[in-house]
Amino acid sequence: MPADLNWAIGGEAGDGIDSTGKIFAQALSRAGRHVFTSKDFASRIRGGYTAYKIRTSVDQVESVVDRLDILIALTERTIDENMNELHEGSVIIYDGERTTMQDVEIPDEMIGLDVPLKSLAEDAGGAIMRNIVALGAACEVTNFPIENLDESLEKRFKDKGQAIVENNKKAARLGQEYVAEECDADTDYDMETTDNDYVLLNGNEALGMGAIAAGCRFYSGYPITPATSIMEYLTGRLDSYGGKVVQAEDELAAINMALGAARAGARAMTATSGAGIDLMTETFGLVATSETPLVITDVQRSGPSTGMPTKQEQGDLNMALYGGHGEVPRFVVAPTNISECFWKTIEAFNLAEKYQTPVFLVSDLAMSVSEQTFPPETFDMDEVEIDRGKVVDEDSISDWQNEQGQFQPHFPNADGVSPRAFPGTEGGAHMTTGLEHDELGRRTEDTDIRIEQVDKRQQKVDTAREEEEWDYREYGEPDADTLVISWGSNEGAMREALGFLEEEGTDVRFISVPYIHPRPDLSDEIDAADEVIVVECNSTGQFADLLEHDTLTRVKRVNKYNGVRFKADELAEEIEAKLGEPTEVEAE
Amino acid sequence: MSSEIRFTDFKSDKQPTWCPGCGDFGTMNGMMKALANTGNDPDNTFVVAGIGCSGKIGTYMHSYALHGVHGRALPVGIGTKLSNPELEVMVAGGDGDGYSIGAGHFIHAVRRNVDMTYVVMDNRIYGLTKGQASPTSREDFETSTSPDGPKQPPVNPLALALAAGGTFIAQSFSSDSQRHTEIVKKAIEHDGFGFVNVYSPCVTFNDVDTYDYFRDTIVDLSETDHDPTDYDDAKSAILDADKEYQGVIYQDEGSVPFDEREGLSEPMHDIPDGAPDDAMDLVREFY
């Protein structure tokens, strides 16, 4: 038996799949097991297949694989949808008393456990608890101590009263006992527990928590999958730190409200996805020319247009890099895993304020919905550093006034960074505009000033390129002939793919890049490798294009754009298949 | 400092490039006077403007100011006010900026009722692009892009504001300096979203809605028995298409601004040097 166990519950949207899955994931986390969760879901409130999947191990897990060991199937479709992941010895828990499940046929090599989920739930106090009965059954099959489930049931239901909690505990036990007594389930699955404490969170929660840690005080957004959960996380929590979350009437308003807050000196952020980032594009240039520090988060989903709103894609890289008419100086930062969603958000706020420039924080759907366990010290708040850049107050403002006593918000310092005076600062009154302007922020079409201000704004990015660390994360065999490069959330799957590749005798050096602009210069690394493969979730290879442009070297591409994230085992196979193949250009 | 503030302190050293005789001169002067008369000074005032002739106002006034994207001035003003309620936030726009490209934001800004002021320089024409129909142009007003008139009824911004739950709805005429100033002052003093539609004639591209037209037709509500606190009075005045009114048309004296309802009073710009003291609690929530 492999060290990891892959578990899922699936049914129709509206069946409580998510909350049931979360309860089990928390129980595993409380029991000191590592967890990585993923969701298959449709964008309908009710109707349509949805599943919550858990990969768990005592070792760290950070991706999904193409293998399912235990499946709780509330519908027949759930079994069909997962048939390619089920294998000899997989356990399928289902309720054969359910009219739609009476004709379910479990393949001979698998173990079907027909558990009367609904009847047992009714015995415990209500049919609504049938999913919890199934969790109890799953505990029995996997030799997982059911007491751990009790803790997460307490956490989930304590607001509804102790009676509800007790009923749920009873429901779980009825499921457990039924399997123990009535089913002939001879399986080897075993989930050992440890004394470790873990926290369990998804990328959007990590990103939101990072924003609060970074001192974000103002968030405006418009609901859109899969960015909404950032706004939901911040709602209430931001208020308790003296901040505010505003649901705007659209994304045009959302980014402009955040811009207004940032002009007032608050650390401000907006987040969106899909068509929302299209609308926000209108204001990118204004943020940059007015030199306003703003963090703009794009949780990418499958496009173009409405695309597949609940599916994974990394198709917005060019949008983040080039979106907006004219030339818009900016930073583009893309966290590579869930804990980095926290740290890179803090970095994004610092970059925004130090350089008074928009920062695009590019995440993606896979990272936004997946939960992962971490030791709590992964998010050590004592390590958080805040750098607000050149802010002037009443005492220092005279250093930045001209001879007429006017404050110069766009003064062209050598490093490109001007002083910033928050409104309310005496002697700092100034305007700024999306029009080309002089050092006072006033419109001009003077050709020399135009060049001076364009260069000044670009200089900030060049200064940052020199002064900040634009490093990458490296894994695998440093001297390997094969170099794999990816950006964003593929890191976890690729790290685990290294293990599969090693088993096949293939050594790989893996570079995971969190900075898109500016980005690390990979010329030497690419030069040193015999084969370079760039992995990303889009059809054209937008990051591969950038690397080819940077290094004038052709690279091979592994692209996935069917809406599903990379799985570790699948990715290892894809990379294996690319080895020895010519690049596209060589092939021509 | 505020006691010594004169309205000229709100003037920048840039000379306006509006056409001689443009209504926007009077509109802006009234705004500056009203700001000074309400105890504000340039360092605590934030002016937001959109695009169009009206959008130039930030350049000619002296205060903290942002000249932004077409139609989005109100959201900027809302973000600024909520994150620093100590600031006096005044948003300026035109009929195109506010009632066409920014119409959505207008309605939502009205219903959000943040404590700020919105002054719209309504000249019933697109002046900066040299004379095309605006949302407040008359149905038969001939322009370069509507040779037979727009053939759509003009937007009634006051009615939009009333329907959206406006708490302060007023109209003024830029050439009646004293009344205009008084009305904008009341809008500033209003606890909530103070909206003033200002007849601000375009002398270059609009030969219908002229100074003479407004002088001849305007009815000052302060000279009638109109009661601005009476919703039905306000409704009748606003829906009376035959009249051009000036004055405070509606004021909800019980208005409580959004910022106050949300408990916002402190500026958000001061933050600790590191994560908040109790930030590890946020991590523990995920146990």
Side-chain angles (χ1 to χ4, degrees), chain A residues 30-68:
Chain A
R30 295 300 274 260
R33 291 184 64 84
H34 274 293
V35 162
F36 186 87
T37 76
S38 59
K39 291 173 195 173
D40 295 349
F41 66 99
S43 73
R44 279 173 288 180
I45 304 294
R46 196 173 173 89
Y49 160 76
T50 176
Y52 186 104
K53 296 184 170 175
I54 299 175
R55 183 147 178 254
T56 176
S57 166
V58 289
D59 302 319
Q60 195 186 27
V61 277
E62 50 186 332
S63 82
V64 289
V65 289
D66 239 342
R67 195 187 82 239
L68 193 51

Side-chain angles (χ1 to χ4, degrees), chain A residues 6-10 49 51-53 68-75 78-80 82-83 86 90-94:
Chain A
N6 294 278
W7 178 100
I9 180 167
Y49 160 76
Y52 186 104
K53 296 184 170 175
L68 193 51
D69 305 309
I70 314 282
L71 173 65
I72 297 169
L74 298 184
T75 59
T78 302
I79 299 172
D80 297 339
N82 291 283
M83 196 48 82
L86 293 164
S90 288
V91 175
I92 300 170
I93 298 167
Y94 67 101

Side-chain angles (χ1 to χ4, degrees), chain A residues 480-530:
Chain A
D481 296 333
T482 303
L483 171 62
V484 172
I485 304 172
S486 85
W487 68 284
S489 70
N490 310 311
E491 182 183 276
M494 188 54 217
R495 277 186 68 184
E496 293 201 13
L498 289 174
F500 290 107
L501 287 160
E502 202 184 334
E503 283 171 21
E504 299 293 315
T506 307
D507 283 345
V508 170
R509 179 185 189 188
F510 170 43
I511 288 178
S512 177
V513 185
Y515 300 108
I516 309 299
H517 186 75
R519 58 187 165 274
D521 179 0
L522 297 180
S523 305
D524 293 344
E525 291 80 352
I526 287 177
D527 256 3
D530 289 344

Side-chain angles (χ1 to χ4, degrees), chain B residues 88 172-173 217 254:
Chain B
E88 186 64 52
S172 66
F173 176 31
T217 54

Side-chain angles (χ1 to χ4, degrees), chain A residues 175-204:
Chain A
Q176 180 193 32
E177 286 159 13
Y178 186 89
V179 172
E181 290 161 13
E182 306 289 332
C183 301
D184 182 21
D186 184 18
T187 67
D188 298 332
Y189 297 111
D190 188 21
M191 292 207 286
E192 61 178 295
T193 60
T194 76
D195 292 332
N196 296 332
D197 280 331
Y198 298 126
V199 290
L200 177 70
L201 69 168
N202 69 34
N204 277 3

Side-chain angles (χ1 to χ4, degrees), chain B residues 102-232:
Chain B
H105 306 307
F106 173 57
I107 291 165
H108 291 282
V110 168
R111 55 185 279 265
R112 207 181 290 277
N113 199 32
V114 172
D115 192 8
M116 55 198 273
T117 308
Y118 186 37
V119 177
V120 178
M121 303 170 200
D122 182 4
N123 56 12
R124 302 180 174 178
I125 185 81
Y126 281 67
L128 195 65
T129 49
K130 301 187 188 299
Q132 298 79 34
S134 99
T136 49
S137 293
R138 298 170 188 226
E139 205 160 352
D140 58 354
F141 181 60
E142 295 169 11
T143 76
S144 61
T145 52
S146 55
D148 304 316
K151 297 179 181 169
Q152 312 159 63
V155 158
N156 180 340
L158 309 174
L160 285 179
L162 193 71
T167 59
F168 183 98
I169 302 167
Q171 193 155 257
S172 66
F173 176 31
S174 67
S175 134
D176 188 342
S177 170
Q178 194 188 334
R179 284 291 287 142
H180 167 61
T181 303
E182 278 170 21
I183 291 164
V184 175
K185 181 168 179 265
K186 283 182 179 162
I188 293 172
E189 287 166 344
H190 174 68
D191 288 330
F193 188 77
F195 163 53
V196 186
N197 188 65
V198 187
Y199 294 136
S200 186
C202 173
V203 294
T204 307
F205 296 108
N206 192 332
D207 56 3
V208 180
D209 300 298
T210 59
Y211 284 104
D212 284 345
Y213 164 74
F214 286 113
R215 269 192 212 106
D216 292 346
T217 54
I218 209 152
V219 175
D220 195 322
L221 288 168
S222 65
E223 291 163 10
T224 70
D225 60 358
H226 180 83
D227 175 4
T229 65
D230 185 309
Y231 190 84
D232 288 329

